[in-house]
Amino acid sequence: MTAARLVRATLLTGSAGLVAVGLASIVLTREADAQASRPIAAVVVNPTPAFEVPEPMRFDPATETSRWASVRHEAPVVAAPSATSAVVAHLDARTPEGTANVVLVGRYHRDRTGQLWRRILGAGEDFAGGWAWVTSEALGAGGVSHARLIIDRRALTATLERSGRVRFRAPIGVGAPETPTPAGRFYIRNTLTRYASPRYGPVAFGTSAQSTATEWPGGGFIGIHGTNRPELLPGRVSHGCIRMANHDIVRLARQLRAGTPVVIL
């Protein structure tokens, strides 16, 4: 406190006021000295973090979240995230049906040269061994799926689950013993109405599963479609494709989207 303020305080409050002001000045000065002598870590108590890492979530197959991406341009697919790795497949921007191609995507990896790679699951027999890698720039926009379609070849049912809850179930036809529907993890590539007919029903889905015996017009891939022979369902009656009654495929079409994983048991 300056001398002028002390004089003013004395005139206004008298000697008692001067004593109180003086004591307050001493306390403030001591606190300021103590604060200045503290290390910075002691002065900044419980700072608000700029970024907090949440607790890891446990993986639950019943509620798994899958990501998919469109294919921006043609690109080689390699076994490992490296430019020197063996090419195991080739990624096309369009499907055999002429629609935009999509793939399931996993984690990223940046190699020593700075190249960013993305782990993917694509379509066809080249991906029968599982996931492979493609450069990140070969992929475009995509999305997230909280659903999966389960094809049970023993129970002859198709079940759509979303966030762990059953949203759809229907009896199906699958491949005959000599032309079986392949087992594995696949996904929906497209929704099609161009094949609407008594044979394929009002709507169909193209999958990433492939079989050379299938009658699917897209080049040997497994389709999910309707039929004009619902009396054959459930049964093992096809060349590999998955058939269901027309009213069921229409119900499914209201919920099923490209990029949804398909598990064939």
Side-chain angles (χ1 to χ4, degrees):
M1 178 174 290
T2 63
R5 290 182 178 179
L6 285 173
V7 172
R8 188 179 296 109
T10 302
L11 293 174
L12 294 174
T13 63
S15 60
L18 177 59
V19 172
V21 172
L23 289 174
S25 177
I26 292 171
V27 171
L28 291 174
T29 301
R30 287 179 177 176
E31 289 185 353
D33 292 342
Q35 189 81 341
S37 63
R38 292 180 191 173
I40 294 177
V43 175
V44 183
V45 180
N46 296 326
T48 302
F51 174 73
E52 291 184 353
V53 179
E55 290 294 323
M57 297 179 63
R58 294 184 177 181
F59 175 75
D60 183 356
T63 58
E64 65 176 295
T65 297
S66 300
R67 297 184 179 276
W68 59 273
S70 58
V71 179
R72 182 179 296 165
H73 59 73
E74 296 181 0
V77 179
V78 294
S82 169
T84 60
S85 182
V87 176
V88 297
H90 190 81
L91 208 57
D92 293 319
R94 310 292 290 180
T95 68
E97 298 86 13
T99 62
N101 197 10
V102 299
V103 294
L104 294 188
V105 293
R107 67 180 187 271
Y108 287 99
H109 176 79
R110 191 178 298 276
D111 64 22
R112 294 181 178 179
T113 68
Q115 175 65 60
L116 192 62
W117 299 82
R118 193 75 188 262
R119 194 167 179 249
I120 67 166
L121 181 64
E125 295 178 346
D126 291 334
F127 286 89
W131 296 71
W133 296 85
V134 70
T135 56
S136 183
E137 60 264 22
L139 303 179
V144 176
S145 174
H146 300 284
R148 63 176 180 169
L149 182 66
I150 302 170
I151 304 298
D152 191 328
R153 298 177 300 170
R154 178 175 295 182
L156 296 174
T157 58
T159 304
L160 180 68
E161 295 180 351
R162 179 174 290 106
S163 299
R165 298 181 60 185
V166 174
R167 304 292 184 175
F168 169 91
R169 180 171 286 145
I172 58 172
V174 297
E178 61 274 15
T179 56
T181 302
R185 179 185 171 100
F186 309 101
Y187 61 94
I188 299 296
R189 298 179 82 188
N190 44 33
T191 303
L192 303 162
T193 56
R194 73 180 64 175
Y195 301 133
S197 63
R199 183 176 187 181
Y200 294 112
V203 63
F205 301 94
T207 78
S208 62
Q210 192 171 23
S211 172
T212 56
T214 181
E215 73 276 12
W216 183 249
F221 286 92
I222 298 297
I224 303 173
H225 58 79
T227 179
N228 59 345
R229 300 288 308 277
E231 71 276 7
L232 298 178
L233 308 180
R236 294 171 176 82
V237 296
S238 78
H239 291 162
C241 283
I242 298 156
R243 302 180 189 177
M244 63 180 67
N246 289 341
H247 64 270
D248 286 329
I249 199 75
V250 170
R251 284 198 302 130
L252 183 60
R254 298 191 185 106
Q255 304 182 64
L256 193 59
R257 299 290 180 267
T260 301
V262 177
V263 181
I264 302 180
L265 303 175

